[in-house]
Amino acid sequence: MADPENAKEATTLRYAFGNVLSFFILLLIGVLAFWIRLFSVIKYESVIHEFDPYFNYRVTQFLTKNGIYDFWNWFDDRTWYPLGRVIGGTVYPGLTLTAGTIWWILNSLNIPLSVETVCVFTAPIFSAFASWATYLLTKEVKGAGAGLTAAALLAMVPSYISRSVAGSYDNEAVAIFALIFTFYLYIKTLNTGSLFYATLNALAYFYMVCSWGGYTFIINLIPMHVLLCIVTGRYSSRLYIAYAPLVVLGTLLAALVPVVGFNAVMTSEHFASFLVFIIIHVVAFVYYIKGILSPKMFKVAVTLVVSVGLVVCCAVMAILIALVASSPTKGWSGRSLSLLDPTYASKYIPIIASVSEHQPPTWPSYFMDINVLAFLVPAGIIACFLPLSDASSFVVLYIVTSVYFSGVMVRLMLVLAPAACVMSGIALSESFSVFTRSIKFQLHGLSGSSQVDSGDASSSTVVAQNDAGKAEKTEDTAKERPSKKSKKKEKGIVDKPSLKAKIERRLLVLPFEASIFAILLLVLLGAFYVVHCVWAAAEAYSAPSIVLTSYSHDGGLHVFDDFREAYAWLSHNTEVDDKVASWWDYGYQTTAMANRTVIVDNNTWNNTHIATVGTAMSSPEKAAWEIFNSLDVKYVLVVFGGLVGYPSDDINKFLWMVRIGGGVFPHIKEPDYLRDGQYRIDSQATPTMLNCLMYKLSYYRFVETDGRGFDRVRQTEIGKKNFKLTHFEEVFTTHHWMVRIYKLKPPRNRIRGKTKKPRSQKTSSTTRTKRSAATKRNPWH
Amino acid sequence: MHIVRGSTARHHTHTAMEAPLGARLTLALSIFAFLSLLTTAFSQQIQILNAERRVDLTSHIVRVFLTLKVENTGTAPATEILLAFPPTQVDHLAVVKAQAATGKRKKQTYVPLDVKPTELPDAPNGTKYFIISLLSPLNSGETATLEVLYILTHSLEPFPAEISQSEPQLVYYHDSAIILSPYHIKQQTTFIKTPTAKVESFTRVEPTNRVSTELKYGPYEDRPPYSFSPIIVHFENNNPFAVVEEIVREVEISHWGNLQITEHYKLVHTGARHKGVFSRVDYQSRPSFSGVSSFKHLLARLPPRVHSVYYRDEIGNISSSHLRTDNRKSELEIEPRYPLFGGWKATFVIGYGLPLQDFLFESSDGKRYLNFSFGCPLAETSVDKLTIKVVLPEGSKDPSAVVPFSVEQRLETKYSYLDVVGRTVLVLEKKNLVPEHNSPFQVYYTFNQIFMLAEPLMLVSAFFFFFVACVAYLHIDLSIRK
């Protein structure tokens, strides 16, 4: 640094070059995040995936067709017949409003994309946004290098890909972006103490509340971090600015979302934030008092306040506890309770336990979903402690809590993924900087180490920038508020004090060969990650689940498009107002694709209603007919995989129907369907099982396909082969038998007196008693 | 010589099974004969020496070939020949074509003649007429041979109207054994061809006989004008009754070299309605007995060099389709999502691109014209309503269409990618079409080449201003305090 002018020019140029480079790297990361999610479109087609996205798609269609006001007031009579559902008040509107806005903008620019296309590509677009948000977040924590690495990792993390492939039009797709962006703005406010960012933070939180129920994670994590900061003596006015406006504005904004409403202040999920809000004010007040009083006076004040405060606190706590305890679930919703106590759901709420994504994950699923990141996370945590700042303590807290939550519910792996990416990004970037610095030092050590400083500049800025936040703040009072451009100059100033650290670090260099080898290993690890992610995106997570494909022996592609075949048939060949009963899994798809009224759907808000359908499915034909008839059902749809070996069919889900049905109507007993605790449909099965509606509708005339009725999913011959249906008739079965639709036969005009023939005396009497029992317990009578 | 077709005849179809046919026929005949005396004023100068009619009932589209040998018995030369149709047939009449046979037996050539619907003031009982204009006037005593083809849709009535999966489809065909004509016919014969030899019943108007798939009515000698003798043929017809209720074809011209066609179909099986159970196991294991009248394949004949073909409906791609291309034609074999039984409906969209140079030409006066085929590309289907929308490039002017038959025309405006003033859309509508309508039509318009650059320039300038804004933002310090 002989000539300061020259050096300054050189660093300016370096910054400019670095910025341009980072910009292009970010652009490419965005492109990568978008493109890696298009495997589903290329391998299959541009179509909405799975179950929930169909509902979101249908809502978006309604929104684009009828406008925002009709959307808020939408009462949907196509579902939960005869109850209906108030869509505007029970849906998180963020995703639909986002896609609707995109569609509206495109159409007002005369780009006539269909609503479906916009919906299909919303998730990939928001993945790109999410990776950029990750860059911003990690940059705030550990500098631009770590930011870029973390963004690249997030762009292709399989866990996130599984929820955001093109066509996976679900809340999580935009919510993860909102989550990361809210965290970024929180950290940014924490680092700068700017009210501008605090306001933005509240808005980002509002968007998150609009998008996903997972917003409660934010409103619990941030108070936890604030508390952590206070406890560890890191309280500052920046912390206050970062937190207080978020709680006030955020809660007010959250209460604007109809689905949240007064829950924002009434439910236990939000109490932590209010408690911390009070604490931070107390702490702020204490700091303020401490500033204006002499130490002696302060001590007196403390004793006074603590004694009075304790009494008041006890009173308030007692009232609160009494209030919370008076509500049956202690003010917590079932899903949140099962978060805290993983066994809660399986014990009390079968409907929550029955959803596969609410199960706890297995170890392989961690490796599948975050892959090598699982090994890099510990290194990242260590890097966060060198040195520990407000920001890095936040990400440490984030990863710890999200690891816990992901262990409870496989769905929350999605929340873990960004944290793991941030941590791994920090770990990778830090280790690269250590190794490259070692190499540089060794190389320069050979040729004389006069010019090390300039080489070190890049890595030291990482630390420098981190310090910059604090440095800025301390200088703020003395100096003018730095404008955007003068900030860069300031970094040059901050470089100087870090010189000391640099000398210390020179002692920490590694041997040359070891560094080279370690870098090679890291690159290999990264390459492995990339290969795994591409494989996961292409093979594991791109199937839309409504279309199945298999390769035949000669390499030809065989398509199983039975679901849409059935839905198209329903939509074209039944009356518009016909009601279709099926297990709730297919409710959203039936309303969206077939446009028919369903009894229950994937929004499992009414357990009794679902239990009624479950009871009907597990009852004998006559009783089932009566339940369905009382619900005005005209068609019953069952999914049957036995012919082609499709494992997630209704027979495999049947025990859940029995359990959920039995939970409300006790005459359905699970042991009646199990032989010695085993679930089976072969000749050993119980008579209750072989006579229930689900069995009959699934296997009706199945034996005629191959002569012996061999079920390819259960790998066994079915128990009861030849039987007739008396109250239902088959009206449609798809090409591969995967969907079978039955129609309820109309009731007979008159009941003949002599129904009881002598030879069928026994059976008819048993059905009669059962029937009378069923009618009594049927809630629709 | 049809009279009260509107009431009696339709009533007749309903009562056909109960009432003996003979009694009703004689009654009807006597009324016809009586009326024919009243209305014979204008047509006396022409008589038909020999008429032969061949009715083809093999598909659901009824094709009738009529060979008339006409003679001018009057004194003045005749320039026009009239064809008469009962009003119920006119509603279903898709095409009437006529041609005159000229030359001797060996080197006989056919010249198409102009056929127009016309109204006559004293038409008995709503009889409708078509007028054939002869090429050269028929002088007194001369004879001429005319070949007439007319096509009827929706003229086979399923009976029973509802069948189950295992039953074959039986239909009624109503017509007259004697050709309805305003002229005296000296000798006439009618042949009716059924798809199979399975004919349940047919009205006898002696002499009548049946040889396997052919029914022969006649020959009848010296029938006065407007003679009519209703007949019913009840036979088995398991051909697919594929009817496109509505098709919207959108032809979008891009001067960058592509012609994009999007066709929206509403398909329905108009045969006997399916009732009761649909059993997949029967359908799959006994295809020759089960669901014989249903269909699951359709063939679309597309122009050669077709590319980017897709076949989908509102819920996504339909995977069951095959495309065969060679250099003369392309054939797209499509399967609806499910087999169509009587009364079942399906909707789908077919889209494809074509090279522009095969269809867009420049006429001698500097105008451009599109030469494209009218009608529905699906083989052997009738279309109830067809709408063709020709989307011209932005900036096109003076569109005009030349169509070989009468259509409704109007103009619309469509906004597509980055349009500012919108594209002119010429909309052509026609009802009741059959495959015979697949003849080329032309759309003429003027277009200035410079408009092609409008959209790229717009994009370029948008990006330019974006970058300028970015540069400006980076160089302006907006902070209030220094």
Side-chain angles (χ1 to χ4, degrees):
Chain A
M1 287 194 184
D3 187 356
E5 275 294 299
N6 246 351
K8 200 180 161 194
E9 212 164 87
T11 43
T12 323
L13 207 69
R14 273 180 76 92
Y15 275 125
F17 182 68
N19 282 340
V20 170
L21 198 63
S22 325
F23 176 76
F24 276 103
I25 290 172
L26 276 179
L27 204 68
L28 286 177
I29 286 173
V31 169
L32 169 73
F34 184 78
W35 279 99
I36 202 170
R37 285 164 171 82
L38 296 193
F39 275 109
S40 60
V41 171
I42 292 159
K43 284 184 71 180
Y44 295 87
E45 56 181 283
S46 168
V47 73
I48 308 283
H49 288 198
E50 301 204 318
F51 304 104
D52 288 20
Y54 268 97
F55 170 73
N56 298 327
Y57 170 49
R58 182 161 161 261
V59 175
T60 315
Q61 273 182 321
F62 185 89
L63 172 71
T64 51
K65 210 165 153 194
N66 297 305
I68 179 85
Y69 293 107
D70 280 351
F71 166 67
W72 290 124
N73 296 323
W74 185 19
F75 179 80
D76 185 11
D77 59 352
R78 296 257 130 191
T79 172
W80 291 98
Y81 183 84
L83 309 172
R85 178 182 172 192
V86 186
I87 298 282
T90 58
V91 80
Y92 285 101
L95 176 75
T96 25
L97 289 181
T98 309
T101 313
I102 296 175
W103 180 85
W104 180 78
I105 290 172
L106 286 175
N107 271 268
S108 44
L109 287 176
N110 281 332
I111 300 174
L113 290 181
S114 67
V115 179
E116 191 189 7
T117 314
V118 173
C119 291
V120 165
F121 292 101
T122 299
I125 289 170
F126 271 80
S127 314
F129 292 167
S131 54
W132 292 332
T134 310
Y135 164 75
L136 293 172
L137 172 64
T138 323
K139 190 181 155 203
E140 283 304 310
V141 178
K142 277 282 169 186
L148 287 175
T149 324
L153 291 176
L154 187 103
M156 48 186 174
V157 64
S159 171
Y160 187 27
I161 286 179
S162 73
R163 290 314 187 106
S164 63
V165 292
S168 189
Y169 178 57
D170 211 346
N171 289 339
E172 288 92 333
V174 297
I176 291 303
F177 157 72
L179 181 89
I180 301 170
F181 198 63
T182 312
F183 286 158
Y184 156 67
L185 286 170
Y186 171 68
I187 297 291
K188 183 83 185 173
T189 325
L190 203 56
N191 281 347
T192 58
S194 144
L195 257 180
F196 171 69
Y197 284 113
T199 318
L200 280 189
N201 190 17
L203 289 176
Y205 173 68
F206 175 54
Y207 185 64
M208 178 68 193
V209 177
C210 282
S211 307
W212 196 31
Y215 76 90
T216 48
F217 181 64
I218 296 182
I219 205 62
N220 283 302
L221 183 66
I222 289 179
M224 272 165 79
H225 178 245
V226 170
L227 203 62
L228 188 78
C229 285
I230 291 172
V231 168
T232 53
R234 286 173 164 271
Y235 173 79
S236 62
S237 55
R238 287 175 288 115
L239 187 69
Y240 183 84
I241 291 169
Y243 186 65
L246 174 68
V247 171
V248 177
L249 276 179
T251 307
L252 281 176
L253 287 171
L256 291 181
V257 182
V259 65
V260 178
F262 278 104
N263 285 353
V265 285
M266 302 282 271
T267 56
S268 309
E269 282 99 332
H270 304 81
F271 283 174
S273 64
F274 300 134
L275 195 68
V276 174
F277 186 68
I278 296 167
I279 292 173
I280 200 171
H281 276 93
V282 171
V283 172
F285 186 66
V286 168
Y287 272 83
Y288 175 71
I289 297 290
K290 207 177 180 179
I292 56 169
L293 290 184
S294 64
K296 202 180 165 190
M297 284 288 284
F298 181 67
K299 256 184 188 170
V300 175
V302 164
T303 39
L304 193 76
V305 166
V306 163
S307 50
V308 173
L310 267 179
V311 174
V312 173
C313 268
C314 283
V316 169
M317 284 302 277
I319 293 170
L320 263 182
I321 287 169
L323 271 180
V324 170
S326 66
S327 76
T329 57
K330 313 275 182 287
W332 291 73
S333 65
R335 251 171 233 187
S336 310
L337 267 182
S338 70
L339 270 183
L340 296 179
D341 175 10
T343 56
Y344 178 84
S346 51
K347 264 189 271 175
Y348 301 109
I349 318 174
I351 191 110
I352 290 181
S354 75
V355 181
S356 60
E357 60 184 23
H358 292 163
Q359 310 284 344
T362 52
W363 286 115
S365 71
Y366 274 98
F367 188 74
M368 176 69 201
D369 276 356
I370 56 174
N371 200 245
V372 301
L373 304 187
F375 309 119
L376 289 170
V377 164
I381 294 177
I382 292 170
C384 280
F385 279 99
L386 303 168
L388 187 72
S389 63
D390 290 351
S392 63
S393 68
F394 177 76
V395 288
V396 170
L397 194 67
Y398 177 23
I399 187 102
V400 170
T401 46
S402 61
V403 164
Y404 171 72
F405 286 135
S406 71
V408 175
M409 210 187 258
V410 70
R411 183 151 92 134
L412 294 178
M413 196 78 100
L414 198 58
V415 177
L416 169 67
C421 287
V422 170
M423 280 302 174
S424 313
I426 291 169
L428 273 181
S429 147
E430 290 291 301
S431 45
F432 267 119
S433 84
V434 166
F435 295 135
T436 46
R437 197 173 53 235
S438 310
I439 292 170
K440 261 182 208 157
F441 181 75
Q442 302 279 0
L443 283 178
H444 287 287
L446 295 177
S447 63
S449 61
S450 57
Q451 287 296 309
V452 185
D453 297 17
S454 61
D456 254 0
S458 67
S459 60
S460 65
T461 49
V462 174
V463 188
Q465 208 179 24
N466 193 29
D467 297 344
K470 272 184 233 161
E472 248 170 57
K473 214 57 229 175
T474 48
E475 282 159 349
D476 237 16
T477 43
K479 245 180 58 158
E480 285 167 345
R481 192 189 196 79
S483 81
K484 211 175 290 156
K485 269 170 285 174
S486 60
K487 244 187 245 171
K488 284 173 196 162
K489 284 172 210 153
E490 200 188 323
K491 276 166 199 157
I493 304 163
V494 185
D495 260 2
K496 262 177 203 162
S498 69
L499 256 175
K500 200 168 44 170
K502 218 181 290 166
I503 294 157
E504 272 171 28
R505 233 182 258 172
R506 220 167 265 173
L507 302 171
L508 296 173
V509 292
L510 292 166
F512 181 70
E513 290 79 11
S515 308
I516 293 275
F517 188 64
I519 284 181
L520 275 178
L521 280 182
L522 280 183
V523 169
L524 211 65
L525 199 69
F528 180 71
Y529 176 73
V530 171
V531 168
H532 174 80
C533 290
V534 172
W535 172 82
E539 301 293 332
Y541 292 136
S542 62
S545 91
I546 55 159
V547 192
L548 308 163
T549 54
S550 75
Y551 290 93
S552 54
H553 299 295
D554 53 348
L557 189 71
H558 193 82
V559 181
F560 297 87
D561 203 357
D562 285 37
F563 287 107
R564 289 192 295 189
E565 182 182 345
Y567 294 134
W569 184 85
L570 274 176
S571 103
H572 291 302
N573 301 308
T574 57
E575 295 296 317
V576 182
D577 285 328
D578 285 349
K579 281 86 190 169
V580 181
S582 64
W583 189 234
W584 60 262
D585 292 24
Y586 315 106
Y588 278 166
Q589 290 185 349
T590 311
T591 40
M593 283 199 262
N595 192 21
R596 290 296 172 268
T597 310
V598 295
I599 306 298
V600 290
D601 69 20
N602 309 43
N603 176 262
T604 50
W605 66 275
N606 188 326
N607 191 36
T608 317
H609 219 50
I610 292 179
T612 310
V613 173
T615 307
M617 290 295 189
S618 19
S619 302
E621 221 188 313
K622 173 88 176 156
W625 185 89
E626 275 168 7
I627 295 174
F628 280 145
N629 195 47
S630 67
L631 286 169
D632 279 0
V633 169
K634 204 143 177 213
Y635 296 93
V636 180
L637 180 149
V638 294
V639 173
F640 169 64
L643 187 76
V644 288
Y646 170 66
S648 48
D649 64 348
D650 277 348
I651 290 285
N652 272 3
K653 292 172 184 168
F654 181 59
L655 269 193
W656 287 111
M657 302 182 203
V658 173
R659 251 171 236 166
I660 293 170
V664 178
F665 304 106
H667 69 284
I668 302 288
K669 294 184 195 68
E670 194 177 335
D672 292 350
Y673 297 84
L674 303 174
R675 171 75 72 195
D676 305 328
Q678 270 190 312
Y679 177 61
R680 52 202 308 169
I681 45 99
D682 57 6
S683 49
Q684 298 296 309
T686 59
T688 324
M689 177 71 215
L690 295 182
N691 280 314
C692 73
L693 184 72
M694 181 49 74
Y695 179 89
K696 283 194 166 177
L697 296 191
S698 291
Y699 293 113
Y700 178 62
R701 297 188 76 181
F702 178 57
V703 70
E704 289 172 48
T705 52
D706 60 351
R708 57 198 189 102
F710 185 77
D711 185 318
R712 293 198 193 167
V713 176
R714 266 66 57 175
Q715 291 295 326
T716 174
E717 269 185 44
I718 58 172
K720 194 172 170 186
K721 291 180 183 172
N722 295 300
F723 55 87
K724 283 203 167 74
L725 293 173
T726 46
H727 298 94
F728 294 85
E729 63 181 3
E730 182 187 12
V731 285
F732 191 74
T733 296
T734 57
H735 189 245
H736 302 100
W737 289 56
M738 275 164 57
V739 184
R740 310 194 70 181
I741 300 170
Y742 293 84
K743 193 176 181 178
L744 270 73
K745 280 189 187 168
R748 265 195 225 117
N749 279 339
R750 72 194 163 88
I751 295 154
R752 270 170 292 174
K754 283 186 252 173
T755 41
K756 271 184 269 175
K757 282 175 191 166
R759 60 179 170 84
S760 61
Q761 183 92 45
K762 202 179 157 200
T763 50
S764 68
S765 68
T766 51
T767 49
R768 232 186 69 224
T769 49
K770 248 185 202 155
R771 183 192 132 201
S772 59
T775 38
K776 236 179 261 166
R777 283 163 188 153
N778 187 348
W780 307 107
H781 271 284
Chain B
M1 187 193 114
H2 164 72
I3 313 180
V4 267
R5 175 96 187 164
S7 60
T8 320
R10 192 169 293 148
H11 181 61
H12 183 87
T13 59
H14 291 291
T15 55
M17 298 321 279
E18 300 107 58
L21 278 176
R24 293 203 152 263
L25 282 180
T26 40
L27 176 73
L29 267 178
S30 58
I31 301 168
F32 293 139
F34 167 71
L35 275 168
S36 67
L37 294 175
L38 302 175
T39 56
T40 48
F42 64 96
S43 52
Q44 283 313 303
Q45 57 169 318
I46 284 178
Q47 71 165 344
I48 295 172
L49 295 176
N50 192 0
E52 186 191 281
R53 184 169 58 155
R54 290 181 178 275
V55 182
D56 182 1
L57 300 180
T58 47
S59 80
H60 71 288
I61 300 170
V62 179
R63 291 183 172 82
V64 184
F65 302 91
L66 190 64
T67 311
L68 301 172
K69 194 170 179 190
V70 291
E71 184 186 24
N72 189 351
T73 53
T75 46
T79 55
E80 290 164 338
I81 306 288
L82 284 172
L83 290 174
F85 292 96
T88 43
Q89 268 193 359
V90 166
D91 294 342
H92 299 143
L93 202 59
V95 172
V96 184
K97 277 183 186 172
Q99 49 193 7
T102 53
K104 292 285 173 228
R105 193 170 276 277
K106 279 283 166 65
K107 35 186 178 176
Q108 208 170 36
T109 52
Y110 291 98
V111 188
L113 299 176
D114 199 21
V115 183
K116 270 188 291 205
T118 181
E119 295 282 331
L120 287 186
D122 50 355
N125 303 301
T127 308
K128 302 286 184 209
Y129 297 91
F130 280 79
I131 199 158
I132 304 175
S133 316
L134 296 175
L135 285 176
S136 50
L138 198 64
N139 291 323
S140 173
E142 277 183 348
T143 62
T145 307
L146 298 175
E147 298 274 347
V148 178
L149 163 69
Y150 63 91
I151 299 174
L152 301 166
T153 55
H154 296 286
S155 295
L156 299 180
E157 182 200 354
F159 193 89
E162 287 192 336
I163 54 170
S164 70
Q165 192 178 347
S166 55
E167 290 174 272
Q169 175 172 273
L170 299 171
V171 292
Y172 277 150
Y173 174 67
H174 302 269
D175 204 345
S176 160
I178 298 160
I179 300 165
L180 182 71
S181 172
Y183 308 117
H184 185 86
I185 304 178
K186 282 197 124 173
Q187 192 185 37
Q188 58 175 311
T189 327
T190 294
F191 298 93
I192 297 178
K193 192 174 176 235
T194 55
T196 58
K198 289 176 190 158
V199 178
E200 289 283 301
S201 68
F202 56 95
T203 315
R204 290 192 165 269
V205 181
E206 293 304 334
T208 305
N209 67 358
R210 181 167 84 94
V211 181
S212 90
T213 63
E214 197 170 71
L215 272 168
K216 185 179 174 193
Y217 283 94
Y220 304 114
E221 308 276 343
D222 282 325
R223 295 293 164 145
Y226 298 108
S227 302
F228 196 82
S229 159
I231 53 164
I232 292 178
V233 186
H234 192 201
F235 61 100
E236 182 178 323
N237 189 340
N238 285 321
N239 284 300
F241 277 44
V243 173
V244 179
E245 282 187 319
E246 192 177 355
I247 169 173
V248 179
R249 306 181 79 196
E250 194 175 89
V251 182
E252 192 167 339
I253 300 168
S254 161
H255 277 238
W256 297 95
N258 191 36
L259 194 67
Q260 181 64 38
I261 292 106
T262 317
E263 296 169 348
H264 298 261
Y265 289 87
K266 271 189 199 161
L267 191 72
V268 64
H269 187 302
T270 56
R273 293 185 63 83
H274 177 74
K275 76 166 178 218
V277 172
F278 165 66
S279 167
R280 180 65 74 167
V281 66
D282 287 340
Y283 184 73
Q284 278 171 340
S285 57
R286 289 179 281 275
S288 52
F289 299 106
S290 179
V292 278
S293 66
S294 71
F295 63 91
K296 59 177 182 179
H297 295 282
L298 288 167
L299 188 71
R301 297 210 173 81
L302 305 180
R305 304 217 285 154
V306 65
H307 63 85
S308 341
V309 181
Y310 65 84
Y311 168 48
R312 56 170 293 153
D313 63 4
E314 61 265 39
I315 55 174
N317 180 43
I318 308 172
S319 48
S320 42
S321 60
H322 301 280
L323 180 69
R324 289 184 293 269
T325 50
D326 59 37
N327 49 17
R328 288 188 301 112
K329 64 176 188 309
S330 311
E331 282 186 338
L332 178 69
E333 195 185 285
I334 56 177
E335 276 181 39
R337 287 197 186 273
Y338 41 86
L340 281 168
F341 281 79
W344 287 12
K345 292 178 182 179
T347 59
F348 55 88
V349 181
I350 298 177
Y352 46 95
L354 291 166
L356 191 69
Q357 67 266 29
D358 294 5
F359 299 94
L360 193 76
F361 307 96
E362 199 158 346
S363 65
S364 50
D365 57 350
K367 274 190 159 187
R368 284 153 212 275
Y369 69 95
L370 171 84
N371 186 30
F372 200 68
S373 136
F374 204 85
C376 162
L378 290 184
E380 215 43 37
T381 51
S382 67
V383 179
D384 290 351
K385 186 184 175 196
L386 175 128
T387 309
I388 291 193
K389 296 183 173 179
V390 182
V391 183
L392 302 173
E394 199 177 19
S396 305
K397 288 194 186 73
D398 319 320
S400 63
V402 179
V403 190
F405 28 78
S406 67
V407 290
E408 279 180 42
Q409 289 188 25
R410 62 170 192 275
L411 287 179
E412 280 177 3
T413 311
K414 183 195 170 184
Y415 292 91
S416 186
Y417 293 93
L418 298 173
D419 286 350
V420 179
V421 294
R423 305 183 184 193
T424 314
V425 183
L426 186 71
V427 184
L428 307 172
E429 273 183 4
K430 185 162 173 63
K431 289 194 171 123
N432 201 9
L433 286 91
V434 287
E436 275 74 5
H437 283 104
N438 291 6
S439 50
F441 72 102
Q442 290 81 32
V443 174
Y444 290 85
Y445 64 96
T446 53
F447 179 74
N448 194 342
Q449 211 78 27
I450 206 81
F451 281 108
M452 282 174 72
L453 292 175
E455 276 160 19
L457 282 179
M458 247 166 61
L459 275 183
V460 166
S461 49
F463 274 100
F464 177 73
F465 285 117
F466 174 69
F467 287 128
V468 165
C470 284
V471 168
Y473 175 74
L474 288 176
H475 282 83
I476 297 170
D477 192 349
L478 286 174
S479 59
I480 298 167
R481 286 182 292 167
K482 281 278 169 257

